Amino acid sequence: MNRKSLKPGWRLVKFGDVVRLSKARSQNPLADGIERYVGLEHLEPGDLRIRSWGNVADGVTFTSVFQPGQVLFGKRRAYQRKVALADFSGVCSGDIYVLETKDAQVLLPELLPFICQTDAFFDHAVGTSAGSLSPRTNWTSLADFEFALPSLDEQESLVSLLRTAADASQAQEHSLEAAEGLLQSFKNEAIGNNTAGVAKDVILGNVLLGSPDSGCSAPPRDADTGYFVLGLAALSRHGYVTGDFKPVEPTSKMLSAKLSKGDLLISRSNTPGRVGYVGIFDDERDDVSFPDTMMRLKPNPAVIDPIYLEAVLQTTSSREFLMRIAAGTSASMKKINRANLLKMPFRLPNLDAQRAALGQLHDLRAAVVLQRERLAATRSLITQISASELAGGQENV
């Protein structure tokens, strides 16, 4: 950006001139009264709110301290666009930078998270990342990011505009939460607590064609191999999430775990809150395998619809069962034993009753998808407003 093209009152600054990297640490968070920890898995792309976290009492090795009002930026795999504004105190992963403004009379703290959400900032972070398997940017590189800083009055006007947009986003978040709550209630009542006369008590092993398949993991490659393995984030509480692919060599063992559209997967090993997540692979491609942190379930089509089984495994009662049988000495990773998984009990109606329930489930899911799309559009608009207004420091010349 040309300094001569800046509007009056604007100035070109480096990120490190107006933003400080917090170095606050706690060697014993529990003794220091810190209750929550945040890892990269707790930050959602495009969402400035922190909606999930871990409990320090369960054990954690994180030492970076953050406070309300500070900004958390995921420095590892910056292309995931993970930025959040803290509204509570805690400790976070070393792969997260804790940022704050140096002087509120120069850069308003309320504007900082929106600056960190701009495409220009992410492009700089990604472009300065190093490392083949898990690229990270560093503070020295981030501090060199240049952007046009408005006058304080114009910052206040921009923050006011962004707050209005954020209020609209929050209203849509509430609508989405209501839709998701209705969907979950339907799963719990119509599927999980099925009391219809045609339903019978079964265990998971009764409805599968054999033992679950094991996946295959290999070190990700930094070069394009033309073949991929799923990452842990491919399974969420809402089901399968496309896009988390890591390039790997297509060895014979990896190819034996190749996925086909319609395959039902369950997370065998993951963090305590995510272990047992399920999802149906629905991509039209034949170049993806699943890792050994997942298992592939093979529902017997003569007794259960795969989509129905996915919904069963997403009910609150099933989630509680899966988390209860998850074991391991590590506080951050738990594993589900195959034998225990097959003992999971649930109520199973006949196929006609399953199809009737799935018709209602489809309509509820469609409503949730619509709300998610609206929220994503509003968040995108907020990012566009930030980028447009901050780029407005250039006059037409």
Side-chain angles (χ1 to χ4, degrees):
M1 184 179 290
N2 191 333
R3 293 178 185 272
K4 293 182 180 180
S5 68
L6 293 177
K7 291 180 179 179
W10 289 61
R11 60 194 178 101
L12 196 61
V13 300
K14 287 189 174 183
F15 193 70
D17 292 339
V18 293
V19 176
R20 176 188 299 113
L21 175 64
S22 174
K23 296 184 179 180
R25 299 289 184 270
S26 172
Q27 298 305 317
N28 192 335
L30 191 61
D32 291 337
I34 299 174
E35 299 179 353
R36 305 176 186 178
Y37 71 83
V38 172
L40 278 177
E41 70 275 11
H42 297 121
L43 304 183
E44 295 295 332
D47 190 355
L48 286 177
R49 292 181 61 189
I50 303 174
R51 301 178 187 278
S52 63
W53 52 82
N55 296 314
V56 170
D58 293 334
V60 69
T61 58
F62 301 160
T63 60
S64 296
V65 176
F66 63 87
Q67 301 293 342
Q70 292 180 317
V71 173
L72 305 187
F73 170 74
K75 68 175 182 177
R76 179 165 66 93
R77 295 178 181 148
Y79 57 82
Q80 294 181 333
R81 303 176 73 95
K82 293 189 173 184
V83 176
L85 178 63
D87 57 1
F88 58 86
S89 60
V91 288
C92 64
S93 163
D95 283 326
I96 296 175
Y97 278 144
V98 180
L99 308 173
E100 60 187 1
T101 59
K102 286 185 175 180
D103 187 343
Q105 295 304 309
V106 176
L107 172 60
L108 292 178
E110 297 88 347
L111 187 58
L112 177 57
F114 297 105
I115 293 172
C116 293
Q117 273 196 324
T118 61
D119 288 341
F121 182 79
F122 278 115
D123 288 346
H124 180 86
V126 173
T128 57
S129 293
S132 58
L133 300 182
S134 194
R136 293 171 172 83
T137 188
N138 58 62
W139 172 244
T140 301
S141 297
L142 280 184
D144 278 338
F145 171 65
E146 286 191 331
F147 65 100
L149 182 67
S151 66
L152 207 57
D153 286 344
E154 288 180 279
Q155 288 183 48
E156 290 174 348
S157 297
L158 178 54
V159 166
S160 178
L161 175 62
L162 290 170
R163 278 177 175 167
T164 300
D167 288 343
S169 174
Q170 188 169 23
Q172 290 176 341
E173 288 173 11
H174 292 324
S175 296
L176 175 58
E177 289 169 0
E180 289 178 340
L182 183 60
L183 174 60
Q184 189 62 43
S185 293
F186 177 81
K187 291 177 185 176
N188 291 341
E189 295 304 318
I191 295 178
N193 295 332
N194 197 315
T195 57
V198 293
K200 59 182 180 180
D201 292 318
V202 298
I203 59 173
L204 183 59
N206 296 151
V207 303
L208 299 181
L209 295 171
S211 182
D213 293 333
S214 297
C216 177
S217 290
R221 294 285 302 276
D222 56 342
D224 184 7
T225 63
Y227 201 81
F228 307 88
V229 68
L230 291 180
L232 287 176
L235 298 181
S236 75
R237 65 189 179 95
H238 303 297
Y240 174 70
V241 179
T242 189
D244 192 15
F245 306 125
K246 301 175 182 178
V248 291
E249 289 293 339
T251 62
S252 58
K253 189 174 182 181
M254 183 63 69
L255 291 174
S256 69
K258 180 189 291 188
L259 288 165
S260 298
K261 184 175 181 179
D263 282 349
L264 177 58
L265 300 171
I266 184 168
S267 177
R268 179 187 68 84
S269 177
N270 211 323
T271 58
R274 300 175 67 91
V275 68
Y277 276 170
V278 295
I280 294 177
F281 181 75
D282 60 3
D283 286 323
E284 292 277 7
R285 53 192 302 167
D286 62 355
D287 58 352
V288 181
S289 292
F290 65 102
D292 63 3
T293 53
M294 300 178 189
M295 290 184 285
R296 177 166 49 194
L297 306 181
K298 297 173 289 186
N300 183 348
V303 296
I304 193 166
D305 188 292
I307 300 177
Y308 190 87
L309 180 55
E310 177 193 36
V312 167
L313 292 164
Q314 290 172 334
T315 62
T316 299
S317 58
S318 292
R319 289 290 307 138
E320 290 174 347
F321 176 89
L322 294 170
M323 294 176 73
R324 189 166 59 249
I325 65 171
T329 57
S330 170
S332 59
M333 293 293 287
K334 298 296 181 181
K335 294 182 179 181
I336 292 176
N337 176 276
R338 187 181 267 97
N340 289 333
L341 172 64
L342 295 177
K343 296 176 184 176
M344 191 192 83
F346 63 97
R347 298 275 293 170
L348 179 68
N350 60 34
L351 286 171
D352 287 339
Q354 290 176 43
R355 294 187 186 105
L358 289 178
Q360 299 177 66
L361 184 68
H362 174 78
D363 292 340
L364 289 170
R365 280 178 168 169
V368 169
V369 169
L370 180 61
Q371 292 295 339
R372 284 188 192 138
E373 290 175 345
R374 289 174 175 170
L375 177 57
T378 300
R379 287 177 177 168
S380 177
L381 178 60
I382 292 174
T383 300
Q384 292 173 29
I385 291 173
S386 303
S388 175
E389 293 297 319
L390 290 170
Q394 288 183 287
E395 290 186 310
N396 294 324
V397 294

